[in-house]
């Protein structure tokens, strides 16, 4: 007797659909958005900190005075004006004309997610290997899995990706006869770990990839959201060849506009544009005009300072609450920027198994398993501090600590439970903060 399915189209799907899985974060949104739940789960910026009245007036003028162009089709690469403004934004981080940054080599995308998808479409064949930090951004995992690529994680510590581990991973894949296409990395205020790749390691990682003939895909959504001085210069500011720089205005302006970009080697630009046109024809002219006008007419540099101060206060609230409330054996990272803290649970606790009880206690987080391609990370969780107010953060941690204490008490009564999916934190992850 054969099994049945509720999906009548199962036998008709393309092979690549078999690798598609629901995002751990997206699955939480419906529950975490309830007002009674303190959500430490998402990665949403605090949009209420924007001058919304001025932004609203700006958007109204764009439609009323320039609607004949802003509501029309645009060009596949993105408007020249926005690409010029993007170069001004990148120059703040050191990516300027001196290292080959040019509006001609910028491709505007529908958020950073489309930028990732375009790179995957251009470079990944089924069975190819992508090296990525462990843990890494859940949205990138979805893109690479949809491309039928294999993600191999490279361990991190408090100083980011470990160069020696990267060399080992490259050598292991070569011995196994597998084709590694690129290193995907979030070197600055990493999502989900919150750690930053040190200056010295950035040079070593670039040297290793250059010797191995590996492309580098640098994802940098958070680089301008540092709390303790300037972040190290991006990888793209150090090397122009073989480094793709991806970023977005979702974290520094408005995620609802869905505007991101790729700075690509010149030879690849046209192929990125062709691939983008095949997907979306052209990015939204209205959204591009909104970002261009914001960058041209509003004090966006001062707004970045507002975000930095706001997020620093909320990070401090989270770190202080973790210090005061968490049971013994819990460790966590201490980010100097970005939106996230990565916590490791006491031995025997499983963040995914604990999730229903946490929701019942009206607090949400993201289990660590969502950030590994192989399902490890059961003993970890990602905590966001950008959206809730400090008092809500402290209350959320109080509720979470109570759930963990109850779990530990049950463990003492019924004995240890081995977490599923491998050891806590993933394979070979060193150090107390990421272990």
């Amino acid at each position: 007797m054969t099994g049945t399915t509720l999906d009548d189209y199962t036998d008709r799907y393309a092979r690549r659909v078999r690798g598609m899985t629901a995002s751990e974060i997206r699955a939480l949104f419906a529950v975490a958005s309830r007002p009674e739940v303190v959500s430490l789960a998402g990665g949403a910026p605090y949009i209420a900190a924007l001058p919304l009245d001025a932004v609203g007036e700006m958007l109204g003028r764009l439609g009323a005075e320039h609607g004949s162009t802003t509501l029309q089709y645009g060009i596949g690469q993105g408007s020249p004006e926005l690409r010029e403004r993007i170069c001004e934004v990148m120059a703040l981080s050191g990516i300027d004309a001196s290292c080959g940054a040019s509006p001609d080599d910028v491709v505007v995308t529908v958020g950073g997610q489309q930028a990732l998808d375009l790179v995957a479409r251009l470079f990944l064949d089924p069975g190819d290997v992508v090296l990525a930090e462990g843990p890494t951004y859940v949205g990138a995992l979805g893109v690479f899995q949809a491309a039928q690529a294999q993600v191999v994680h490279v361990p991190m510590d408090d100083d980011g990706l470990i160069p020696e581990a990267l060399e080992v991973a490259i050598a292991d894949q070569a011995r196994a006869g597998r084709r590694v296409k690129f290193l995907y990395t979030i070197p600055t205020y990493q999502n989900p770990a919150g750690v930053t790749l040190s200056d010295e390691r950035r040079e070593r990682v670039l040297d290793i990839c250059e010797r191995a003939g590996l492309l580098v895909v640098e994802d940098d959504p958070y680089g301008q959201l540092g709390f303790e001085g300037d972040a190290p210069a991006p990888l793209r500011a150090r090397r122009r060849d073989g480094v793709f720089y991806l970023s977005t205005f979702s974290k520094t302006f408005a995620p609802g506009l869905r505007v991101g970009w790729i700075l690509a080697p010149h030879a690849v630009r046209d192929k990125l544009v062709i691939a983008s046109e095949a997907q979306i024809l052209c990015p939204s002219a209205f959204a591009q005009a909104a970002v261009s006008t914001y960058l041209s007419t509003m004090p966006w540099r001062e707004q970045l300072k507002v975000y930095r101060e706001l997020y620093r206060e909320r990070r401090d609230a989270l770190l202080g609450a973790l210090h005061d409330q968490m049971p013994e054996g819990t460790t966590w990272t201490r980010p100097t920027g970005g939106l996230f803290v990565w916590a490791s649970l006491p031995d025997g606790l499983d963040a995914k198994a604990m999730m229903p009880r946490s929701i019942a206690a009206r607090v949400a987080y993201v289990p660590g398993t969502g950030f590994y391609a192989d399902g490890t990370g059961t003993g970890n969780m990602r905590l966001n501090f950008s959206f809730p107010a400090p008092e809500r953060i402290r209350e959320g941690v109080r509720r979470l600590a109570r759930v963990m204490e109850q779990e530990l008490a049950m463990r003492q009564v019924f004995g240890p439970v081995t977490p599923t999916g491998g050891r806590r934190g993933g394979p070979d992850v060193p150090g107390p903060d990421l272990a």
Side-chain angles (χ1 to χ4, degrees):
M1 181 176 180
T2 58
T4 61
T5 175
L6 295 177
D7 188 347
D8 294 334
Y9 300 92
T10 298
D11 295 335
R12 306 187 185 198
Y13 289 130
R15 289 192 186 95
R16 61 181 171 274
V17 175
R18 298 171 189 169
M20 292 183 179
T21 56
S23 163
E24 301 259 1
I25 300 174
R26 288 288 172 189
L28 282 170
F29 273 6
V31 173
S33 60
R34 296 175 184 171
E36 70 272 16
V37 175
V38 178
S39 178
L40 305 174
Y46 190 65
I47 295 300
L50 285 169
L52 293 177
D53 52 349
V55 171
E57 291 176 7
M58 177 194 79
L59 296 175
R61 287 194 304 272
L62 283 176
E65 300 174 12
H66 306 284
S68 61
T69 55
T70 60
L71 300 178
Q72 186 56 273
Y73 287 115
I75 61 175
Q77 188 176 353
S79 73
E81 180 183 3
L82 178 57
R83 287 185 276 122
E84 290 175 3
R85 300 289 83 76
I86 285 171
C87 284
E88 293 173 5
V89 171
M90 290 191 296
L92 290 182
S93 303
I95 303 174
D96 55 23
S98 68
C99 57
S102 163
D104 288 342
D105 295 331
V106 171
V107 177
V108 177
T109 61
V110 182
Q113 192 69 15
Q114 193 209 6
L116 277 170
D117 191 68
L118 290 176
V119 171
R121 284 172 181 267
L122 257 61
F123 290 103
L124 294 179
D125 289 315
D128 283 344
V129 173
V130 174
L131 301 181
E133 294 136 344
T136 193
Y137 170 50
V138 63
L141 291 177
V143 167
F144 302 148
Q145 288 165 351
Q148 298 177 275
Q150 178 185 356
V151 176
V152 174
H153 290 294
V154 181
M156 292 187 293
D157 60 18
D158 288 341
D159 291 320
L161 188 75
I162 302 171
E164 294 82 1
L166 176 61
E167 290 182 303
V168 170
I170 292 171
D172 286 346
Q173 296 306 306
R175 278 194 297 272
R178 300 191 186 100
R179 190 180 186 190
V180 181
K181 281 294 184 69
F182 56 77
L183 168 68
Y184 170 72
T185 177
I186 312 168
T188 305
Y189 316 135
Q190 202 252 8
N191 177 7
V195 300
T196 296
L197 187 65
S198 66
D199 252 318
E200 182 266 340
R201 284 191 180 181
R202 290 179 186 231
E203 295 296 337
R204 291 173 62 194
V205 165
L206 287 168
D207 287 342
I208 291 167
C209 290
E210 186 174 324
R211 288 197 299 269
L214 277 189
L215 300 175
V216 177
V217 178
E218 178 181 19
D219 200 356
D220 188 26
Y222 316 103
Q224 294 181 343
L225 296 176
F227 315 141
E228 300 175 8
D230 294 332
L235 303 179
R236 181 57 182 79
R238 301 160 188 264
R239 307 279 172 95
R240 69 172 70 183
D241 295 328
V243 179
F244 292 75
Y245 181 82
L246 283 55
S247 193
T248 176
F249 290 105
S250 292
K251 302 302 187 288
T252 56
F253 179 27
L257 291 173
R258 310 304 303 131
V259 177
W261 74 91
I262 307 174
L263 176 64
H266 186 76
V268 183
R269 180 205 61 192
D270 288 345
K271 290 183 175 59
L272 285 168
V273 173
I274 293 169
S276 180
E277 289 173 341
Q279 279 186 323
I280 61 166
L281 191 60
C282 62
S284 164
F286 188 86
Q288 292 181 76
V291 175
S292 295
T293 306
Y294 174 76
L295 295 173
S296 302
T297 65
M298 292 193 180
W300 59 274
R301 292 175 179 84
E302 286 69 24
Q303 184 62 40
L304 284 176
K305 295 177 184 177
V306 170
Y307 276 134
R308 289 176 191 136
E309 291 299 320
L310 183 79
Y311 295 157
R312 175 164 49 195
E313 178 188 17
R314 296 179 179 202
R315 176 209 59 178
D316 291 346
L318 177 57
L319 293 180
L322 291 171
H323 179 270
D324 294 340
Q325 302 281 350
M326 282 289 108
E328 184 177 353
T330 312
T331 60
W332 51 87
T333 57
R334 292 161 179 81
T336 58
L339 310 182
F340 306 108
V341 165
W342 181 251
S344 298
L345 305 182
D347 285 335
L349 294 192
D350 184 326
K352 192 166 186 177
M354 192 172 70
M355 191 71 210
R357 289 180 283 278
S358 296
I359 294 297
R362 295 170 296 144
V363 60
Y365 57 84
V366 184
T369 49
F371 304 98
Y372 287 94
D374 55 7
T376 53
T378 56
N380 301 102
M381 60 175 66
R382 191 192 73 176
L383 304 174
N384 167 257
F385 54 80
S386 61
F387 194 76
E391 60 272 15
R392 290 281 286 173
I393 290 173
R394 286 187 281 267
E395 173 61 19
V397 172
R398 185 191 69 80
R399 296 177 187 179
L400 180 57
R402 182 177 298 175
V403 171
M404 291 170 61
E405 288 164 357
Q406 291 170 348
E407 292 284 305
L408 289 168
M410 290 175 60
R411 182 172 176 266
Q412 287 184 335
V413 173
F414 297 105
V417 178
T418 302
T420 58
R423 55 175 283 205
R424 292 189 314 120
D428 302 320
V429 181
D433 282 340
L434 291 180

